[in-house]
Amino acid sequence: MPSDLLQRPERAAPAASRTVPKRRTRVFALAEARWAAAALVLFLIALPLQLAGAPAWAWGPLYGAAYITGGWEPAWAGLAALREKTLDVDLLMIVAAIGAASIGQVMDGALLIVIFATSGALEALATARTQDAVRGLLDLAPTTAMRLADDGSEESVTTGDLVVGDTILVRPGERVGADGRILDGASDVDQATITGEPLPVAKEAGDEVFAGTLNGTGALRVKVERDASDSVIARIVAMVEEASATKAPTQLFIEKVEQQYSLGMVVATLAVFAVPLAFGADLTGSLLRAMTFMIVASPCAVVLATMPPLLSAIANAGRHGVLVKSAVVMERLGQVDAVALDKTGTLTEGTPRVTDIHPLESSGLDEDTLLALAAAAEHPSEHPLARAVVDAARTRGLAVAGMRDFTSTPGVGVTATVDGHTVAVGAPARLLDGNDDTCSARAAEVAAGLEDGGRTAVLVLRDGAPVGVLGIADRLRPDAAATVASLTALTGSTPMLVTGDNPRAATRLAAEAGIPGDEVHAGLLPQDKVEAVRRLQARGRKVLVVGDGVNDAPALAAAHTGIAMGRAGSDLALETADAVIVRDELATVPTVVSLSRAARRLVVQNLVIAGVFISGLVIWDLAGHLPLPLGVLGHEGSTVIVGLNGLHLLRDAAWNRAAKDVR
């Protein structure tokens, strides 16, 4: 039975129903973070001592400890990779750091160690937080359920012990314990965690319900149709884990050639050392030339050519409300050429609002009087649609009369006495059942028109006679249409709408946002959203998914890049996504994509600069005699140049320019 205006019990806690219970790994619970922090502290103590002219015995051991604490893990990983016949760039960096120390450049080597240790710690933290969110998702489903025996007796059992065919009792305000079908009862069920629908859905005998969804005011008897391991909520967990594990390993541009560069540098360094020895050169001179070669050929400048532009773009985006989780993500954002958008909470505000007020001519009421009458009857209710009616009356500054004798009937609506009149507010199909007079026919016609337009129709009766119909719908974000247009211009194709909401509501809202009907995919479960994304990827597209709910998490994980709306986003979506829109400003999505493309252009520019410096210094060292101090100066100079060049994207002007480019 449809029931759109039922009072929700206080214990139902609707705001909490859409979020995953928090399980947060502490930063320093990770060994990688502890070692990186120790290396950083030691480096920061040693550096000012060295710069102040303190004796080497004061700062030398500190640098040595920084080498050990920050370098032993990547060194061990690099040696493990060598056993697999793979040369890891981390090991190369450790060798370069040791080589720098061996010829007196202890600080340079320690800095390289600290950078790599910190990067590894951040990667470990991101992985742990995602795993926390996936495990926490299982807490949405209750651990126990009330099983009904054939004789009508009740038994509390763990949900894992339920088998297909069991019957369970779901009381008002409880979460459904298993996927199944209603045998008896009627209620509104909040299933936003599964489908993303913004409003509770009316359920009656014969309808399907999902584990982890929140029951409203009616009691339900549900026949279990799936084992706990095969429930929709369990499959969401499995899909997130699978998508995260099977997504191709992400690499920065420079890392794509790390094997070739690493091998080439090792071979070249050995050759620079061995060849002169073979022709009679002295050992010390050959070793000095080889170490100089290793310093000038080391990829420090190349690494800094890549990182500062991306990190600057991350910092700039963060100041403007977009949290990009890593340099890899910032690089990938600029590669997207297709976009899939969720509806509720992403394109829309996620809060139902009164959009239409239609007093019937025979009632003698105007819009304000009709709204005030409905608000008076709805005032005690905590249902989202009831709140929308009351909020609309308050927004208009209407005086809401007192009421008494309030009742809420599952499957029908609410009834109250207002100014001596009996006022009923609820679903038209139920309140008009059996009435065939002219007034009722007109009310049914208005309600049908609203529902055809994707709105929820709410009928108002006064003393049993229809007096008007209200239309309620989720409202499009003010910047949604502009965002869709900008994303279309950036990617060359119109974004696709993927939603679990009904097709009529989805099509209406898509039209308002500028998304054509053939790009609207409605009524989707989480696995259907993943399939829609993978169909695009199978055509060679790099898909950006923007969403906010638990039901969006598998698609966010499977996509080339995922962005979550931060204000109302579920913990799972926030942890699974690669970036988070902290302030819920949808228009920042195309801007951050444009900023990423600017960062990628700057990376290429810096790589050219670094390549020119490295090539020149290497040729000088091989063809002539490059003094070590001059080699270090040239190496550090190139590093400083590309580093400063990359900082251009820190300025607000870079964000403003990116925003202007997408308009």
Side-chain angles (χ1 to χ4, degrees), residues 11 141-163 165-172 174-178 181 183-184 215 219-224:
R11 61 174 171 169
T143 57
T144 62
M146 190 62 66
R147 183 166 59 189
L148 299 178
D150 293 338
D151 59 3
S153 60
E154 300 177 1
E155 178 189 9
S156 179
V157 299
T158 61
T159 52
D161 292 336
L162 294 174
V163 297
D166 282 348
T167 300
I168 60 174
L169 174 65
V170 185
R171 292 188 171 89
E174 293 181 346
R175 290 191 180 275
V176 180
R181 199 163 299 275
L183 296 176
D184 182 50
N215 187 27
L220 302 174
R221 285 199 308 120
V222 177
K223 182 178 180 180
V224 177

Side-chain angles (χ1 to χ4, degrees), residues 375-402:
E378 292 282 21
H379 192 266
S381 176
E382 290 298 327
H383 190 281
L385 291 188
R387 293 296 88 205
V389 173
V390 175
D391 289 345
R394 287 173 176 166
T395 300
R396 291 192 175 207
L398 304 180
V400 178

Side-chain angles (χ1 to χ4, degrees), residues 72 115 167 218 257 335 625:
W72 80 267
I115 290 174
T167 300
V257 294
Q335 300 171 348
H625 176 69

Side-chain angles (χ1 to χ4, degrees), residues 304-349:
L304 285 178
T306 304
M307 294 302 290
L310 297 174
L311 295 177
S312 297
I314 289 173
N316 200 337
R319 289 202 309 271
H320 291 88
V322 184
L323 172 62
V324 179
K325 294 185 178 180
S326 71
V328 172
V329 173
M330 179 55 75
E331 184 192 44
R332 289 168 67 91
L333 277 167
Q335 300 171 348
V336 299
D337 57 11
V339 180
L341 299 169
D342 173 48
K343 184 181 81 69
T344 305
T346 301
L347 277 180
T348 71
E349 296 175 347

Side-chain angles (χ1 to χ4, degrees), residues 331-426:
E331 184 192 44
R332 289 168 67 91
L333 277 167
Q335 300 171 348
V336 299
D337 57 11
V339 180
L341 299 169
D342 173 48
K343 184 181 81 69
T344 305
T346 301
L347 277 180
T348 71
E349 296 175 347
T351 303
R353 298 179 184 273
V354 175
T355 57
D356 302 86
I357 305 174
H358 294 286
L360 300 181
E361 294 178 2
S362 60
S363 69
L365 304 179
D366 58 18
E367 290 188 2
D368 286 352
T369 307
L370 174 63
L371 181 60
L373 188 66
E378 292 282 21
H379 192 266
S381 176
E382 290 298 327
H383 190 281
L385 291 188
R387 293 296 88 205
V389 173
V390 175
D391 289 345
R394 287 173 176 166
T395 300
R396 291 192 175 207
L398 304 180
V400 178
M403 49 72 59
R404 56 186 176 84
D405 303 328
F406 174 85
T407 60
S408 174
T409 306
V412 179
V414 301
T415 304
T417 301
V418 180
D419 291 336
H421 298 282
T422 300
V423 179
V425 185

